[in-house]
Amino acid sequence: QTQPTQGVTKGKAKLQNQTIAETLVFASKLKAYAITEDLSDLEEKYTLAKTDLELLRDTEIHAKALSTHNEALALLANLAPYNVTALLVTDFKTLIDTYATVMQAPENRINEKKIAKQNLSLKLNQNTQNLKTLDGLILQYRTTATQFYNEYTEARKIIDIGHRKTRLGLFVELEDGVDSTGVVVIITKGLKNYTQTVRSTDHNAFFDSILIGTYTITINHPGYQPWTATINIKSGILNTATAKLML
């Protein structure tokens, strides 16, 4: 449940930059060919700047890269003078396919963490049932193995240390894969509010020793749409939430 996601997000950002760079290389060669052959529509289509691609969503970057690859493949014989080879086109397609896989990696990791939390609850419930079974079986030793019985019953005691305050862990992801370290998160309950910044180790902002109740989570980060949500902080557990900031 607590596995870090930073490596996954950084890997996605690196592949995104590589895909954009290769797309621009092939686009420039397609544009050069279009100018030579006086193909104005093709020239306009592949007149691209780096910022044009950087402003696109993940899926749009992938679609643009794939269409550029398909165009280069279709015109492969004509692009030889521009140093476009079958091997380069194949390598470009491999990069695009890898990026398509990694695009979903951060979201998949989040889902894995959610499933791990669900499994943890199931195991805790199973352990509770196991203890109840042992509680019934231990009775037979009350007189025949008194010391063993007393040691079990003493170890079996659960001390309620109280849960008036608890903890919230908020995972924050930026849509374009940029490191979310330093993003400021505010949670509010009535007149009470808490502020934390996202940590560099796992992209989480942790709120310790907060009172239980319903809170509003607010994130305002430069360049991204404001994000807000409501969460009911429960007692005695690590409360978790996920925020994905959109461009």
Side-chain angles (χ1 to χ4, degrees):
Q1 183 187 350
T2 58
Q3 61 180 319
T5 57
Q6 185 178 21
V8 175
T9 305
K10 285 186 176 180
K12 172 185 169 183
K14 181 179 179 180
L15 273 171
Q16 183 182 84
N17 291 334
Q18 291 175 346
T19 302
I20 289 175
E22 284 301 300
T23 300
L24 291 173
V25 169
F26 276 89
S28 67
K29 295 180 179 183
L30 286 166
K31 178 182 177 181
Y33 166 74
I35 292 173
T36 301
E37 299 298 323
D38 196 22
L39 302 172
S40 57
D41 289 344
L42 190 66
E43 178 186 352
E44 182 179 358
K45 183 178 179 180
Y46 290 101
T47 301
L48 298 176
K50 185 179 181 182
T51 52
D52 295 333
L53 298 179
E54 289 177 335
L55 292 174
L56 299 178
R57 297 179 182 272
D58 295 337
T59 53
E60 293 172 328
I61 293 173
H62 175 262
K64 190 64 178 178
L66 188 58
S67 67
T68 303
H69 164 270
N70 293 341
E71 194 87 61
L73 183 61
L75 295 171
L76 183 59
N78 300 321
L79 295 176
Y82 304 93
N83 196 30
V84 176
T85 65
L87 180 59
L88 289 175
V89 173
T90 300
D91 288 345
F92 185 29
K93 181 59 162 58
T94 300
L95 175 62
I96 294 170
D97 291 343
T98 304
Y99 176 55
T101 301
V102 174
M103 276 195 308
Q104 300 300 320
E107 184 175 347
N108 290 341
R109 180 61 62 84
I110 293 170
N111 291 335
E112 289 172 1
K113 289 162 74 75
K114 289 180 179 178
I115 292 172
K117 179 182 177 182
Q118 294 169 359
N119 289 339
L120 180 61
S121 297
L122 291 174
K123 290 184 181 298
L124 288 173
N125 290 335
Q126 183 60 57
N127 285 341
T128 300
Q129 292 303 316
N130 291 340
L131 285 173
K132 289 180 178 179
T133 300
L134 288 174
D135 289 344
L137 294 173
I138 199 68
L139 292 174
Q140 62 187 301
Y141 299 106
R142 183 166 49 184
T143 57
T144 58
T146 305
Q147 182 176 347
F148 171 63
Y149 173 81
N150 290 336
E151 288 175 351
Y152 172 83
T153 54
E154 188 64 29
R156 177 67 174 83
K157 292 179 181 178
I158 298 176
I159 301 173
D160 186 358
I161 60 175
H163 298 295
R164 292 184 59 198
K165 293 186 177 182
T166 186
R167 193 179 195 215
L168 167 66
L170 179 68
F171 175 82
V172 179
E173 179 189 3
L174 302 183
E175 182 187 25
D176 54 1
V178 174
D179 191 342
S180 61
T181 302
V183 172
V184 177
V185 181
I186 301 173
I187 63 171
T188 306
K189 179 177 181 286
L191 298 178
K192 184 67 177 177
N193 64 73
Y194 304 82
T195 301
Q196 290 291 343
T197 56
V198 176
R199 306 189 318 185
S200 60
T201 53
D202 51 16
H203 291 254
N204 276 282
F206 283 104
F207 295 84
D208 293 299
S209 299
I210 57 177
L211 294 172
I212 63 173
T214 301
Y215 287 81
T216 299
I217 308 173
T218 304
I219 304 177
N220 291 298
H221 191 61
Y224 293 84
Q225 299 177 27
W227 189 91
T228 184
T230 301
I231 183 171
N232 182 26
I233 304 296
K234 298 179 180 179
S235 163
I237 64 172
L238 170 59
N239 298 266
T240 60
T242 299
K244 184 170 183 177
L245 275 62
M246 310 295 287
L247 290 169

